[in-house]
Amino acid sequence: MCIRDRKKVDAMLEKERERREKEKKMNEQVIALFGSPEIQMAFARHEKQLKYVFQYYLENIDLDVRIPYTMDHLQYKGFMVFAAQFNLFPGILSTEQIGLAYRSVSLDKKLVDKIPVGLSYDDFLQVLFRIAVKGSRIFNQVQRRFAADRKADGGSVEAFVKEEKKNAGEAIVNEDQASDVNYEENAVDKTKTDEYTNLGDTNVGTLEGLLLYLNLPEERKALIDRLRELKAANSKLSAAKMRKDLKLKLDGPAKNPEPRDVSVEKKAPAPAKPNREPPRRNEPPPKAQQEEEPLEAVDVQELKKEPAPKSEDIIGPDGKKENWKITENE
């Protein structure tokens, strides 16, 4: 390796080291705030609903039976289905932001016997808290608007969020874009930093805003109905995603056609139009209309016996009689 290449490699390694160090310090700050008594008490006030939601997505997600998942940990697919059905993406964050939060919580977990790492209940709460930090601008507004409104439902809160994002000039992601998500694997870029620039704006009110946005009823039957409604509302989106994935598996990725060099392409000649003009008098019909017959030998003596045509029988192209002199070849 030459000196120049060695310097490039060293610069890349130093940049990656600085990125990891920055992410590590930020991660420590997030964990410290997550473990604060105020935040833990807020989660404790909604423990019954949150544990039921965690168990629901733990048990109601179809996973590959060939992989020995741990039955008490929520896998990536289950968490992403939860986030999609509660419209944490694309309603609040992008899939990348949520994927980074999931990665930060599961990154230091040890892989045992190649069993995929999932989330314990406490990990689930920490990812929720990280989502609250990332979406603190919206969740703080939700808390101020709906904290005193006990009659507010999920629909009104979600409509409020859409309006706030629209007023702030943020793009609203449509369902077609939201369906294009990899639920099976956390495919976020490994070089991406999990940013928490809004950490200073985060407090217990931010978390309360997130919980208001989730709209988890305290009554068990109402909570079950809420989860069923979310599942039904997202079934069309999930079906579209499954059809798209199945088509991709069967057909393979779409291939871009090779560009054609139109400069050398020749247009096919246009078909000749049939001659619709009537044939002139004493003119043979067009060749296309003549029937092909085999040629026969001609007897010259027989031709001499035929009387020569008279001059008055010769008609010119203009239809007038012409006085031609007819001579016989001897």
Side-chain angles (χ1 to χ4, degrees):
M1 182 182 294
C2 65
I3 297 176
R4 182 186 302 174
D5 292 341
R6 182 63 187 176
K7 286 182 178 180
K8 286 183 179 179
V9 172
D10 290 343
M12 291 173 59
L13 291 174
E14 179 63 21
K15 186 176 180 180
E16 178 63 15
R17 187 191 67 79
E18 291 176 355
R19 185 194 70 80
R20 291 190 178 186
E21 188 64 27
K22 178 184 176 182
E23 190 172 53
K24 181 181 177 181
K25 290 181 179 179
M26 195 176 299
N27 197 44
E28 290 173 353
Q29 295 174 357
V30 171
I31 292 175
L33 186 56
F34 168 71
S36 65
E38 296 83 4
I39 297 298
Q40 290 301 311
M41 286 179 64
F43 276 125
R45 286 194 292 271
H46 299 83
E47 182 178 19
K48 183 173 63 175
Q49 301 99 299
L50 289 170
K51 278 191 172 181
Y52 189 90
V53 169
F54 175 80
Q55 196 67 27
Y56 176 85
Y57 287 97
L58 185 66
E59 296 175 355
N60 289 275
I61 300 298
D62 293 329
L63 299 173
D64 192 336
V65 295
R66 296 169 297 179
I67 300 176
Y69 293 103
T70 52
M71 301 308 295
D72 57 345
H73 280 62
L74 183 63
Q75 299 301 318
Y76 178 77
K77 180 179 180 180
F79 184 82
M80 291 304 286
V81 171
F82 155 77
Q85 292 188 355
F86 279 88
N87 200 22
L88 291 173
F89 77 84
I92 303 296
L93 302 176
S94 67
T95 55
E96 182 182 72
Q97 289 174 304
I98 292 180
L100 286 169
Y102 185 98
R103 186 189 71 183
S104 292
V105 174
S106 60
L107 186 63
D108 295 331
K109 290 181 175 293
K110 293 182 178 180
L111 191 66
V112 180
D113 296 331
K114 297 183 179 181
I115 298 175
V117 174
L119 302 177
S120 64
Y121 174 70
D122 192 61
D123 296 332
F124 173 70
L125 297 184
Q126 187 182 152
V127 179
L128 283 182
F129 177 72
R130 289 172 181 268
I131 291 173
V133 176
K134 290 172 182 279
S136 60
R137 186 187 69 81
I138 289 292
F139 293 131
N140 286 338
Q141 294 178 6
V142 170
Q143 195 272 339
R144 287 193 291 267
R145 169 65 180 82
F146 294 100
D149 188 359
R150 297 298 179 184
K151 295 182 180 180
D153 57 15
S156 58
V157 174
E158 201 164 316
F160 171 80
V161 169
K162 285 183 179 180
E163 188 64 25
E164 286 298 317
K165 294 189 75 171
K166 181 180 178 181
N167 294 338
E170 297 182 24
I172 304 298
V173 183
N174 59 42
E175 288 187 351
D176 291 337
Q177 292 170 294
S179 66
D180 191 19
V181 176
N182 185 356
Y183 288 87
E184 302 294 337
E185 181 183 4
N186 191 355
V188 294
D189 189 347
K190 293 181 180 180
T191 63
K192 283 277 188 179
T193 302
D194 191 17
E195 299 279 356
Y196 293 91
T197 55
N198 298 335
L199 191 60
D201 300 326
T202 303
N203 51 47
V204 66
T206 309
L207 180 58
E208 290 289 354
L210 167 63
L211 295 170
L212 282 168
Y213 181 80
L214 295 178
N215 186 31
L216 304 176
E218 294 183 9
E219 184 184 358
R220 178 185 173 86
K221 183 180 182 305
L223 179 59
I224 294 173
D225 291 341
R226 165 90 168 130
L227 293 172
R228 287 175 177 172
E229 288 172 5
L230 290 172
K231 183 177 180 180
N234 286 270
S235 60
K236 292 182 180 179
L237 191 62
S238 300
K241 169 66 178 171
M242 290 174 65
R243 286 194 297 270
K244 185 175 180 180
D245 290 345
L246 180 61
K247 188 176 187 303
L248 188 62
K249 282 184 178 181
L250 296 176
D251 300 343
K255 296 181 180 179
N256 295 326
E258 295 182 0
R260 296 185 303 174
D261 188 357
V262 295
S263 62
V264 298
E265 287 185 356
K266 295 181 180 180
K267 294 183 178 179
K273 295 182 179 180
N275 186 7
R276 299 184 182 277
E277 296 182 2
R280 294 176 180 177
R281 272 192 298 177
N282 293 345
E283 286 187 3
K287 291 183 178 180
Q289 298 177 5
Q290 295 180 2
E291 295 182 2
E292 295 184 359
E293 296 181 357
L295 298 177
E296 298 180 358
V298 179
D299 189 348
V300 179
Q301 298 301 324
E302 289 294 329
L303 289 176
K304 289 184 177 181
K305 294 178 183 180
E306 294 290 331
K310 297 179 181 180
S311 61
E312 61 266 23
D313 293 332
I314 303 300
I315 307 299
D318 56 357
K320 296 180 181 180
K321 295 180 181 180
E322 295 182 4
N323 188 12
W324 289 359
K325 186 177 180 180
I326 305 302
T327 60
E328 283 191 38
N329 294 326
E330 295 181 356

